[in-house]
C-alpha cells in the first residue's frame, strides 16, 4: 500500500489527527506511504484543524496546525490505494459516492467501532479518548 486518505465529516477534528498520527508513525517506521485527509462536507474548507485537535496532537508531539480542510472528491478514490472512513456515516456517504477501496478506521482493532465525533463535545474532554483510539487504529492499520 502506497497511499491512504482518511475521511471524516468536516476534516477539522478527527481525520487531521489520523493524518498527523499516520505521518509520524510512517516517518518513525521508515515506511514509504503518503497520507492525506479530507471531509465529506464542505463547511470548513480551507480552515485549520479545531483547536482541541491541534492541542491533543501537540500533547503527543504531532503537529497538525498547518493542515487545511478540503472536501473529498471522486478522483480521490483512484488516487489513493485505501480510503479510511472515521465513522459509519462517513463510510455510508463515501459508498454512495462510489468509493470501493473503503474501510472503517475502527476495523483495525476496535471491532469496526466509530471514532466519536468530537465537534459537539463540551470543551477538551473527550479529545484524549479520540486521539488514543485513532492512534491505536492507525498503528494497527500500518502494521498489517
Ligand atoms: P470532524 O468533526 O468530522 O471530525 O472534522 C466535525 C466538524 C464539523 C462538523 C461536524 C463534525 N460540522 O457540522 O460542521
Amino acid at each position: 500500500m502506497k497511499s491512504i486518505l482518511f475521511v471524516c465529516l468536516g476534516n477539522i477534528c478527527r481525520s487531521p489527527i489520523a493524518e498527523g498520527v499516520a505521518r509520524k508513525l510512517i516517518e518513525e517506521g521508515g515506511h514509504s506511504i503518503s497520507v492525506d485527509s479530507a471531509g465529506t462536507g464542505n463547511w470548513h474548507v480551507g480552515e485549520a484543524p479545531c483547536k482541541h485537535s491541534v492541542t491533543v496532537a501537540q500533547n503527543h508531539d504531532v503537529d497538525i496546525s498547518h493542515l487545511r480542510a478540503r472536501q473529498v472528491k471522486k478522483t480521490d478514490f483512484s488516487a489513493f490505494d485505501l480510503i479510511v472512513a472515521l465513522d459509519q456515516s462517513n463510510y455510508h456517504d463515501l459508498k454512495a459516492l462510489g468509493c470501493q477501496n473503503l474501510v472503517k478506521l475502527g476495523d483495525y482493532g476496535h471491532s469496526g467501532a466509530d471514532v466519536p465525533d468530537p465537534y459537539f463535545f463540551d470543551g477538551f474532554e473527550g479529545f484524549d479518548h479520540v486521539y488514543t483510539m485513532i492512534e491505536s487504529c492507525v498503528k494497527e492499520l500500518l502494521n498489517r
Side-chain angles (χ1 to χ4, degrees):
M1 185 173 42
K2 292 196 180 65
S3 57
I4 304 171
L5 179 69
F6 296 98
V7 182
C8 63
L9 180 59
N11 192 209
I12 53 167
C13 298
R14 293 165 293 172
S15 58
I17 295 176
E19 177 183 346
V21 168
R23 185 158 289 139
K24 184 176 188 213
L25 292 170
I26 286 164
E27 268 175 33
E28 288 173 358
H31 308 280
S32 59
I33 302 171
S34 65
V35 289
D36 195 4
S37 64
T40 56
N42 66 359
W43 309 283
H44 299 281
V45 167
E47 291 180 22
C50 70
K51 65 178 181 189
H52 296 316
S53 288
V54 171
T55 300
V56 79
Q58 195 59 58
N59 290 347
H60 292 85
D61 261 338
V62 175
D63 181 15
I64 60 169
S65 61
H66 59 286
L67 300 180
R68 294 295 177 265
R70 73 170 181 89
Q71 188 172 28
V72 72
K73 48 190 191 294
K74 285 189 179 183
T75 51
D76 287 324
F77 305 155
S78 50
F80 290 86
D81 294 320
L82 189 67
I83 313 290
V84 182
L86 275 280
D87 69 24
Q88 186 60 34
S89 166
N90 311 143
Y91 184 95
H92 175 268
D93 291 344
L94 289 162
K95 267 281 176 219
L97 288 171
C99 184
Q100 302 285 336
N101 44 336
L102 179 63
V103 293
K104 275 182 77 176
L105 188 59
D107 291 337
Y108 298 90
H110 284 72
S111 308
D114 290 342
V115 176
D117 185 347
Y119 186 63
F120 300 104
F121 285 5
D122 192 11
F124 187 74
E125 199 174 339
F127 275 81
D128 273 324
H129 168 68
V130 164
Y131 185 93
T132 305
M133 181 176 177
I134 289 175
E135 183 184 48
S136 159
C137 294
V138 170
K139 273 185 183 160
E140 174 86 18
L141 164 61
L142 293 175
N143 285 333
R144 285 225 185 147

